[in-house]
């Protein structure tokens, strides 16, 4: 396995319910870490409210509709660095209506900062009840395999920096994490507006013995590892090229990105779904002809034999166990206002291939309030998370999501509207 070093650039998202302060936290983090340009500082000074307090959310809420409604709608990406590390932040929406945008941001994240607005919770009972959107986002993070979760208990200043209430919230989330199977979870009491425990430890929480949020992020391992072993080679064909006039008239190259493994000139590959075999005779990279290429590289491959290959076909190692399949089980996050209709066909887009697919059975749907699986549901509604069985019109060459996120994920598209209606993570292949 090739493993990125601990201090490789870290991609993380903010997640949680609406008005938890995600945009404010990112803005304050950029401000306190001195990662803002002079024009951004000027816009901040103009964004003071009536109490002359800076509105840090203007740094991420870029759409006019966001500023008008005071909520985050789109995923806003921000880049900054410290002396120790570079970061890519995705500020994702908290509103239930835009859960699909949160999935988009979380799909490539190494870590997630889950914000909990401490001022919105009820402490009168024996246990603190977390908000449904916090549970939903946490369940999505589990299904997406996000390795590190940092729970930022925000607006702790409104609770008088009460350690007992911080611990009650931590206990409630630990219980949620155990139910979902989240392993690496950390807790930080913060005030995004005032900067407590974001970049520097706050004197107002002497009872908190941990590190501030930025220090935790700086020291997280990226945990991004993709196999570069030849036997794991996986290459979906994006384009068949016959445009190079400098080559012989019979030039034919197969272009795409290597999603796993490595390939070298002389290696034998198997082309799925037809099972043809051929030998690699040339590898062309953006920098010219090379002898070998590995996962993540964009290349053009040439074969010894003239085989009928088109976009959506997949090259794998000759003896790879992977086989093309028309049956699979998957976790679906449903994005559309219209419910899943098992009688309809949808377009399933997986890597470079698009095929017709039907959901033949809704195995169960997650109840975000109780975190139990309901087997009575026959469909999926907006923002539902469920496990389904699917049948495809044509075979796809896939892996499970746990094996490889790129080759184990897909989206469903409504063929009538071309709206993306669901994101899927493959659990099992027939």
């Amino acid at each position: 396995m090739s493993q990125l070093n601990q201090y490789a650039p870290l991609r993380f998202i903010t997640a949680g319910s609406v008005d938890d302060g995600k945009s404010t936290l990112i803005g304050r983090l950029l401000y306190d870490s001195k990662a803002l340009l002079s024009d951004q500082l000027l816009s901040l000074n103009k964004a003071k409210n009536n109490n002359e307090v800076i509105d840090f959310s203007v740094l991420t809420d870029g759409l006019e509709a966001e500023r008008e409604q005071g909520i985050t709608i789109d995923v806003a990406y921000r880049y900054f660095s410290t002396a120790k590390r570079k970061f890519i932040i995705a500020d994702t929406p908290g509103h239930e209506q835009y859960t699909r945008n949160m999935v988009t941001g979380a799909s490539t994240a190494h870590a997630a900062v889950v914000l909990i607005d401490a001022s919105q919770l009820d402490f009168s009972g024996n246990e603190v009840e977390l908000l449904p959107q916090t549970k939903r986002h946490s369940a999505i993070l589990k299904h997406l395999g996000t390795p590190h979760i940092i729970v930022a208990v925000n607006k702790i200043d409104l609770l008088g920096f009460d350690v007992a209430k911080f611990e009650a919230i931590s206990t409630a989330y630990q219980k949620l994490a155990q139910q979902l199977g989240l392993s690496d979870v950390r807790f930080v009491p913060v005030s995004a507006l005032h900067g407590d425990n974001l970049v520097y430890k706050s004197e107002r929480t002497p009872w908190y013995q941990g590190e501030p949020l930025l220090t935790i992020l700086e020291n997280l391992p990226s945990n991004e590892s993709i196999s570069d072993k030849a036997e794991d080679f996986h290459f979906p064909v994006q384009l068949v090229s016959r445009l190079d006039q400098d080559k012989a008239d019979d030039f034919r190259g197969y272009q795409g990105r290597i999603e796993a493994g490595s390939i070298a000139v002389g290696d034998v590959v198997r082309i799925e779904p037809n099972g043809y075999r051929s030998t690699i005779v040339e590898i062309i990279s953006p920098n010219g002809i090379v002898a070998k290429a590995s996962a993540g590289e964009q290349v053009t491959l040439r074969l010894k034999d003239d085989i009928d290959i088109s976009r959506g076909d997949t090259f794998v190692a000759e003896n790879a166990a992977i086989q093309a399949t028309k049956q699979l089980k998957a976790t679906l996050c449903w994005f559309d206002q219209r419910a899943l209709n098992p009688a309809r066909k949808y377009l399933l887009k997986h890597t470079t291939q698009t095929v017709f697919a039907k959901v033949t059975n809704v195995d169960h749907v997650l109840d975000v309030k109780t975190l139990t699986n309901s087997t009575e549901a026959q469909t999926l509604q907006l923002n539902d998370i469920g496990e389904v069985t699917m049948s495809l019109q044509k075979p796809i060459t896939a892996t499970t999501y746990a094996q490889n996120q790129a080759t184990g994920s897909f989206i469903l598209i409504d063929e009538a509207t071309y709206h993306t209606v669901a994101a899927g993570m493959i659990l099992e292949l027939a």
Side-chain angles (χ1 to χ4, degrees):
M1 292 289 232
S2 64
Q3 181 74 36
L4 294 184
N5 65 66
Q6 180 177 2
Y7 300 120
L10 185 81
R11 296 191 296 270
F12 71 93
I13 70 159
T14 56
S17 297
V18 67
D19 289 333
D20 276 351
K22 295 177 291 298
S23 298
T24 299
L25 179 139
I26 291 177
R28 185 80 202 203
L29 196 62
L30 296 173
Y31 181 79
D32 285 353
S33 61
K34 297 179 174 56
L36 297 178
L37 301 175
S38 57
D39 60 332
Q40 293 174 311
L41 290 171
L42 183 61
S43 67
L44 273 183
N45 288 326
K46 291 180 179 179
K48 290 182 178 179
N49 59 26
N50 295 332
N51 296 322
E52 290 299 301
V53 176
I54 296 175
D55 180 8
F56 291 99
S57 66
V58 298
L59 293 172
T60 54
D61 289 343
L63 299 178
E64 183 177 352
E66 294 177 325
R67 293 192 294 269
E68 289 175 351
Q69 298 180 51
I71 61 173
T72 299
I73 297 173
D74 199 11
V75 181
Y77 292 93
R78 290 294 179 268
Y79 307 85
F80 79 104
S81 60
T82 65
K84 197 169 187 178
R85 196 168 204 175
K86 294 181 179 180
F87 297 95
I88 304 170
I89 314 172
D91 181 24
T92 64
H95 198 286
E96 183 176 347
Q97 181 180 350
Y98 304 109
T99 298
R100 57 188 178 273
N101 294 351
M102 177 269 173
V103 176
T104 300
S107 62
T108 59
H110 302 128
V113 178
V114 177
L115 267 78
I116 295 177
D117 183 349
S119 67
Q120 291 189 32
L121 302 182
D122 182 6
F123 295 91
S124 60
N126 294 328
E127 294 183 2
V128 173
E129 180 66 28
L130 300 175
L131 298 178
Q133 194 67 339
T134 301
K135 296 180 180 180
R136 180 179 285 106
H137 281 186
S138 299
I140 291 171
L141 292 172
K142 170 58 182 177
H143 286 297
L144 289 173
T146 308
H148 309 290
I149 309 295
I150 304 168
V151 179
V153 180
N154 193 25
K155 305 183 185 179
I156 195 70
D157 54 308
L158 299 182
L159 301 184
F161 299 95
D162 190 329
V163 61
K165 291 180 178 178
F166 171 73
E167 290 177 347
I169 295 172
S170 301
T171 299
Y173 195 91
Q174 283 173 335
K175 182 179 178 181
L176 171 67
Q178 290 175 353
Q179 287 180 286
L180 293 175
L182 297 171
S183 54
D184 185 11
V185 181
R186 311 161 196 229
F187 299 88
V188 186
V190 304
S191 170
L193 186 62
H194 301 291
D196 294 272
N197 291 322
L198 292 186
V199 176
Y200 309 104
K201 290 194 69 171
S202 174
E203 296 179 354
R204 298 194 285 183
T205 56
W207 40 266
Y208 174 63
Q209 301 302 310
E211 299 290 344
L213 177 62
L214 183 60
T215 303
I216 294 174
L217 292 170
E218 283 182 326
N219 292 299
L220 280 181
S222 65
N223 275 12
E224 184 176 55
S225 58
I226 301 175
S227 172
D228 59 3
K229 296 179 180 178
E231 59 264 33
D232 295 324
F233 178 64
H234 196 120
F235 177 81
V237 175
Q238 182 175 359
L239 181 68
V240 180
S241 174
R242 303 194 68 175
L243 302 178
D244 193 338
Q245 302 300 321
D246 295 330
K247 298 288 182 180
D249 292 339
D250 62 349
F251 174 89
R252 180 177 293 181
Y254 305 98
Q255 299 178 335
R257 185 177 72 174
I258 302 174
E259 298 294 356
S262 62
I263 192 69
V265 173
D267 286 352
V268 177
V269 295
R270 191 176 80 242
I271 298 96
E272 292 290 345
N274 297 315
Y276 300 130
R277 283 170 168 76
S278 187
T279 303
I280 300 292
V281 295
E282 188 174 47
I283 303 172
I284 306 171
S285 77
N287 297 319
I289 297 174
V290 296
K292 184 177 180 180
S294 300
E297 294 187 55
Q298 306 277 354
V299 294
T300 300
L301 302 180
R302 295 188 65 206
L303 298 178
K304 178 181 178 181
D305 305 292
D306 188 6
I307 300 173
D308 182 15
I309 298 171
S310 58
R311 175 183 169 88
D313 290 343
T314 303
F315 294 7
V316 297
E318 180 185 18
N319 297 316
I322 186 172
Q323 298 285 340
T325 182
K326 295 171 65 175
Q327 304 287 331
L328 58 88
K329 285 184 178 291
T331 298
L332 281 187
C333 296
W334 194 257
F335 297 160
D336 201 35
Q337 294 283 354
R338 290 180 293 183
L340 164 69
N341 184 352
R344 288 190 57 193
K345 287 183 179 180
Y346 294 91
L347 292 171
L348 182 147
K349 180 169 175 48
H350 170 264
T351 61
T352 60
Q353 189 175 18
T354 302
V355 301
F356 280 107
K358 285 190 70 174
V359 174
T360 56
N361 191 57
V362 177
D363 301 328
H364 59 73
V365 178
L366 177 69
D367 186 329
V368 294
K369 294 182 179 179
T370 64
L371 297 178
T372 58
N373 292 322
S374 170
T375 57
E376 298 178 358
Q378 301 300 312
T379 185
L380 294 175
Q381 305 286 344
L382 176 66
N383 295 320
D384 275 349
I385 303 169
E387 187 174 312
V388 301
T389 301
M390 302 185 68
S391 177
L392 314 183
Q393 188 179 56
K394 296 180 180 179
I396 62 172
T397 308
T399 66
T400 65
Y401 189 80
Q403 291 172 311
N404 188 313
Q405 293 186 0
T407 56
S409 59
F410 61 87
I411 60 172
L412 288 184
I413 301 169
D414 187 317
E415 65 169 325
T417 64
Y418 278 89
H419 290 165
T420 299
V421 296
M425 289 75 74
I426 298 174
L427 298 170
E428 184 181 324
L429 297 160

